[in-house]
Amino acid sequence: MSLAPEPVKVFPAYARLGIPGAVPECFVREGVYRALLQAARQLPEGVGMVVLDGWRPWRVQQYLFDTLHEAIHHHHPSLDEGELMVRTREFVSLPSRDPLAPSPHLTGGAVDVTLCDADGMPLDMGTQFDEAIPASHTDHFESLTALSAAQRQACNNRRLLYHVMQEAGFTNLPSEWWHYDYGDQLWAHYRGSGVARYGPAELDTIESRWRRQFADR
């Protein structure tokens, strides 16, 4: 389902950045959509939710993984391949179409979200979306002994986002304050249930419809 109505705003970040293959929309599963609305409606007056990414094509996942892997290798040439993989996978999942272990965004069950004010301006979350640094860890500010006023505000904003999303049934990826899951494999893992609702998905295009029609004949 495509996201559009209030109280959820949409800003397809990867399409706006011109990443090859990115779709100019944010698509999620229907259950995820309803949970997002539930979370957004729990926000205080004057605060809104912005969805930055939802379902992600496999080729975009591969592009993000390769780009971050290359950037880390460039800045840390002494790292071996195993260390590079660990550092890369901290912020970008391994591209996978495996039905038992698909990339979370490929399922339509993963969403990247942030908060905004009444004018649609993003709130300060302490880092930018997709910054691959330790400060992007959800609990980064919780672990600091002394916070500046700006850090305290960012910490409160992260707490607000975390609690409304958790109340709506989402789980958070600890290394990314913006990444939440509902119904996918990460969601099952962090809930301890071991059973995911969603597997890999593709957009319902005219091409895929025709293929299904001919396959049924």
Side-chain angles (χ1 to χ4, degrees), residues 151-166:
Q151 289 174 326
R152 191 174 302 111
Q153 186 59 60
C155 182
N156 290 337
N157 290 338
R158 289 189 188 189
R159 286 179 179 178
L160 175 60
L161 178 61
Y162 181 88
H163 288 301
V164 297
M165 294 295 281
Q166 186 182 54

PDB file of all heavy atoms in Angstrom, residues 151-166:
ATOM      1  N   GLN A 151      21.724  17.805  22.419  1.00  0.00           N
ATOM      2  CA  GLN A 151      21.740  16.341  22.551  1.00  0.00           C
ATOM      3  C   GLN A 151      20.553  15.862  23.375  1.00  0.00           C
ATOM      4  O   GLN A 151      19.962  14.817  23.077  1.00  0.00           O
ATOM      5  CB  GLN A 151      23.049  15.893  23.185  1.00  0.00           C
ATOM      6  CG  GLN A 151      24.261  16.038  22.282  1.00  0.00           C
ATOM      7  CD  GLN A 151      25.550  15.710  23.004  1.00  0.00           C
ATOM      8  OE1 GLN A 151      25.704  15.971  24.213  1.00  0.00           O
ATOM      9  NE2 GLN A 151      26.507  15.133  22.279  1.00  0.00           N
ATOM     10  N   ARG A 152      20.208  16.616  24.403  1.00  0.00           N
ATOM     11  CA  ARG A 152      19.062  16.238  25.231  1.00  0.00           C
ATOM     12  C   ARG A 152      17.780  16.270  24.419  1.00  0.00           C
ATOM     13  O   ARG A 152      16.921  15.383  24.547  1.00  0.00           O
ATOM     14  CB  ARG A 152      18.963  17.174  26.432  1.00  0.00           C
ATOM     15  CG  ARG A 152      17.964  16.713  27.494  1.00  0.00           C
ATOM     16  CD  ARG A 152      18.006  17.601  28.737  1.00  0.00           C
ATOM     17  NE  ARG A 152      19.358  17.607  29.315  1.00  0.00           N
ATOM     18  CZ  ARG A 152      20.166  18.661  29.299  1.00  0.00           C
ATOM     19  NH1 ARG A 152      19.763  19.785  28.708  1.00  0.00           N
ATOM     20  NH2 ARG A 152      21.358  18.609  29.844  1.00  0.00           N
ATOM     21  N   GLN A 153      17.639  17.277  23.558  1.00  0.00           N
ATOM     22  CA  GLN A 153      16.444  17.360  22.714  1.00  0.00           C
ATOM     23  C   GLN A 153      16.401  16.211  21.722  1.00  0.00           C
ATOM     24  O   GLN A 153      15.346  15.602  21.495  1.00  0.00           O
ATOM     25  CB  GLN A 153      16.420  18.693  21.972  1.00  0.00           C
ATOM     26  CG  GLN A 153      15.134  18.914  21.173  1.00  0.00           C
ATOM     27  CD  GLN A 153      13.909  18.884  22.052  1.00  0.00           C
ATOM     28  OE1 GLN A 153      13.781  19.685  22.980  1.00  0.00           O
ATOM     29  NE2 GLN A 153      12.982  17.970  21.784  1.00  0.00           N
ATOM     30  N   ALA A 154      17.552  15.900  21.108  1.00  0.00           N
ATOM     31  CA  ALA A 154      17.615  14.783  20.169  1.00  0.00           C
ATOM     32  C   ALA A 154      17.284  13.475  20.875  1.00  0.00           C
ATOM     33  O   ALA A 154      16.580  12.612  20.321  1.00  0.00           O
ATOM     34  CB  ALA A 154      18.997  14.710  19.532  1.00  0.00           C
ATOM     35  N   CYS A 155      17.788  13.325  22.092  1.00  0.00           N
ATOM     36  CA  CYS A 155      17.501  12.118  22.874  1.00  0.00           C
ATOM     37  C   CYS A 155      16.001  12.001  23.135  1.00  0.00           C
ATOM     38  O   CYS A 155      15.413  10.925  22.976  1.00  0.00           O
ATOM     39  CB  CYS A 155      18.272  12.171  24.192  1.00  0.00           C
ATOM     40  SG  CYS A 155      18.053  10.719  25.247  1.00  0.00           S
ATOM     41  N   ASN A 156      15.357  13.102  23.505  1.00  0.00           N
ATOM     42  CA  ASN A 156      13.915  13.090  23.756  1.00  0.00           C
ATOM     43  C   ASN A 156      13.133  12.774  22.484  1.00  0.00           C
ATOM     44  O   ASN A 156      12.118  12.067  22.524  1.00  0.00           O
ATOM     45  CB  ASN A 156      13.471  14.429  24.324  1.00  0.00           C
ATOM     46  CG  ASN A 156      13.957  14.654  25.744  1.00  0.00           C
ATOM     47  OD1 ASN A 156      14.254  13.691  26.460  1.00  0.00           O
ATOM     48  ND2 ASN A 156      14.062  15.911  26.159  1.00  0.00           N
ATOM     49  N   ASN A 157      13.594  13.297  21.352  1.00  0.00           N
ATOM     50  CA  ASN A 157      12.918  13.016  20.086  1.00  0.00           C
ATOM     51  C   ASN A 157      13.020  11.542  19.720  1.00  0.00           C
ATOM     52  O   ASN A 157      12.059  10.933  19.237  1.00  0.00           O
ATOM     53  CB  ASN A 157      13.517  13.874  18.973  1.00  0.00           C
ATOM     54  CG  ASN A 157      13.179  15.349  19.129  1.00  0.00           C
ATOM     55  OD1 ASN A 157      12.215  15.711  19.794  1.00  0.00           O
ATOM     56  ND2 ASN A 157      13.975  16.213  18.513  1.00  0.00           N
ATOM     57  N   ARG A 158      14.195  10.957  19.939  1.00  0.00           N
ATOM     58  CA  ARG A 158      14.360   9.524  19.675  1.00  0.00           C
ATOM     59  C   ARG A 158      13.467   8.700  20.596  1.00  0.00           C
ATOM     60  O   ARG A 158      12.867   7.704  20.180  1.00  0.00           O
ATOM     61  CB  ARG A 158      15.818   9.105  19.863  1.00  0.00           C
ATOM     62  CG  ARG A 158      16.750   9.621  18.790  1.00  0.00           C
ATOM     63  CD  ARG A 158      18.127   8.983  18.909  1.00  0.00           C
ATOM     64  NE  ARG A 158      19.088   9.610  18.004  1.00  0.00           N
ATOM     65  CZ  ARG A 158      20.305   9.168  17.765  1.00  0.00           C
ATOM     66  NH1 ARG A 158      20.736   8.059  18.388  1.00  0.00           N
ATOM     67  NH2 ARG A 158      21.111   9.784  16.929  1.00  0.00           N
ATOM     68  N   ARG A 159      13.403   9.099  21.861  1.00  0.00           N
ATOM     69  CA  ARG A 159      12.548   8.384  22.813  1.00  0.00           C
ATOM     70  C   ARG A 159      11.087   8.431  22.378  1.00  0.00           C
ATOM     71  O   ARG A 159      10.380   7.428  22.432  1.00  0.00           O
ATOM     72  CB  ARG A 159      12.688   8.996  24.207  1.00  0.00           C
ATOM     73  CG  ARG A 159      13.989   8.686  24.922  1.00  0.00           C
ATOM     74  CD  ARG A 159      13.998   9.374  26.273  1.00  0.00           C
ATOM     75  NE  ARG A 159      15.222   9.099  27.018  1.00  0.00           N
ATOM     76  CZ  ARG A 159      15.486   9.630  28.211  1.00  0.00           C
ATOM     77  NH1 ARG A 159      14.613  10.462  28.765  1.00  0.00           N
ATOM     78  NH2 ARG A 159      16.619   9.335  28.827  1.00  0.00           N
ATOM     79  N   LEU A 160      10.645   9.613  21.954  1.00  0.00           N
ATOM     80  CA  LEU A 160       9.260   9.763  21.513  1.00  0.00           C
ATOM     81  C   LEU A 160       8.969   8.849  20.340  1.00  0.00           C
ATOM     82  O   LEU A 160       7.963   8.122  20.333  1.00  0.00           O
ATOM     83  CB  LEU A 160       8.999  11.225  21.137  1.00  0.00           C
ATOM     84  CG  LEU A 160       7.627  11.537  20.529  1.00  0.00           C
ATOM     85  CD1 LEU A 160       6.516  11.164  21.493  1.00  0.00           C
ATOM     86  CD2 LEU A 160       7.547  13.022  20.152  1.00  0.00           C
ATOM     87  N   LEU A 161       9.839   8.877  19.331  1.00  0.00           N
ATOM     88  CA  LEU A 161       9.653   8.019  18.162  1.00  0.00           C
ATOM     89  C   LEU A 161       9.655   6.556  18.564  1.00  0.00           C
ATOM     90  O   LEU A 161       8.788   5.776  18.133  1.00  0.00           O
ATOM     91  CB  LEU A 161      10.754   8.287  17.133  1.00  0.00           C
ATOM     92  CG  LEU A 161      10.728   7.432  15.865  1.00  0.00           C
ATOM     93  CD1 LEU A 161       9.433   7.642  15.086  1.00  0.00           C
ATOM     94  CD2 LEU A 161      11.938   7.739  14.980  1.00  0.00           C
ATOM     95  N   TYR A 162      10.608   6.178  19.382  1.00  0.00           N
ATOM     96  CA  TYR A 162      10.735   4.776  19.799  1.00  0.00           C
ATOM     97  C   TYR A 162       9.470   4.295  20.511  1.00  0.00           C
ATOM     98  O   TYR A 162       8.957   3.205  20.219  1.00  0.00           O
ATOM     99  CB  TYR A 162      11.946   4.619  20.713  1.00  0.00           C
ATOM    100  CG  TYR A 162      12.181   3.207  21.194  1.00  0.00           C
ATOM    101  CD1 TYR A 162      12.943   2.317  20.450  1.00  0.00           C
ATOM    102  CD2 TYR A 162      11.626   2.766  22.392  1.00  0.00           C
ATOM    103  CE1 TYR A 162      13.152   1.022  20.887  1.00  0.00           C
ATOM    104  CE2 TYR A 162      11.823   1.476  22.831  1.00  0.00           C
ATOM    105  CZ  TYR A 162      12.587   0.603  22.084  1.00  0.00           C
ATOM    106  OH  TYR A 162      12.782  -0.682  22.532  1.00  0.00           O
ATOM    107  N   HIS A 163       8.961   5.090  21.432  1.00  0.00           N
ATOM    108  CA  HIS A 163       7.835   4.629  22.247  1.00  0.00           C
ATOM    109  C   HIS A 163       6.536   4.544  21.452  1.00  0.00           C
ATOM    110  O   HIS A 163       5.762   3.587  21.636  1.00  0.00           O
ATOM    111  CB  HIS A 163       7.673   5.520  23.477  1.00  0.00           C
ATOM    112  CG  HIS A 163       8.745   5.313  24.509  1.00  0.00           C
ATOM    113  ND1 HIS A 163       8.961   4.087  25.112  1.00  0.00           N
ATOM    114  CD2 HIS A 163       9.674   6.151  25.025  1.00  0.00           C
ATOM    115  CE1 HIS A 163       9.967   4.177  25.961  1.00  0.00           C
ATOM    116  NE2 HIS A 163      10.429   5.418  25.920  1.00  0.00           N
ATOM    117  N   VAL A 164       6.269   5.501  20.551  1.00  0.00           N
ATOM    118  CA  VAL A 164       5.032   5.393  19.778  1.00  0.00           C
ATOM    119  C   VAL A 164       5.116   4.235  18.786  1.00  0.00           C
ATOM    120  O   VAL A 164       4.111   3.548  18.534  1.00  0.00           O
ATOM    121  CB  VAL A 164       4.680   6.706  19.043  1.00  0.00           C
ATOM    122  CG1 VAL A 164       4.417   7.817  20.032  1.00  0.00           C
ATOM    123  CG2 VAL A 164       5.719   7.098  18.019  1.00  0.00           C
ATOM    124  N   MET A 165       6.299   3.988  18.244  1.00  0.00           N
ATOM    125  CA  MET A 165       6.447   2.869  17.315  1.00  0.00           C
ATOM    126  C   MET A 165       6.347   1.539  18.053  1.00  0.00           C
ATOM    127  O   MET A 165       5.705   0.588  17.573  1.00  0.00           O
ATOM    128  CB  MET A 165       7.780   2.978  16.574  1.00  0.00           C
ATOM    129  CG  MET A 165       7.887   4.170  15.636  1.00  0.00           C
ATOM    130  SD  MET A 165       6.742   4.112  14.231  1.00  0.00           S
ATOM    131  CE  MET A 165       7.623   2.966  13.144  1.00  0.00           C
ATOM    132  N   GLN A 166       6.958   1.455  19.217  1.00  0.00           N
ATOM    133  CA  GLN A 166       6.887   0.217  20.001  1.00  0.00           C
ATOM    134  C   GLN A 166       5.453  -0.074  20.427  1.00  0.00           C
ATOM    135  O   GLN A 166       4.993  -1.222  20.374  1.00  0.00           O
ATOM    136  CB  GLN A 166       7.790   0.332  21.221  1.00  0.00           C
ATOM    137  CG  GLN A 166       7.892  -0.957  22.033  1.00  0.00           C
ATOM    138  CD  GLN A 166       8.762  -0.789  23.258  1.00  0.00           C
ATOM    139  OE1 GLN A 166       8.553   0.099  24.068  1.00  0.00           O
ATOM    140  NE2 GLN A 166       9.750  -1.654  23.395  1.00  0.00           N
TER     141      GLN A 166
END
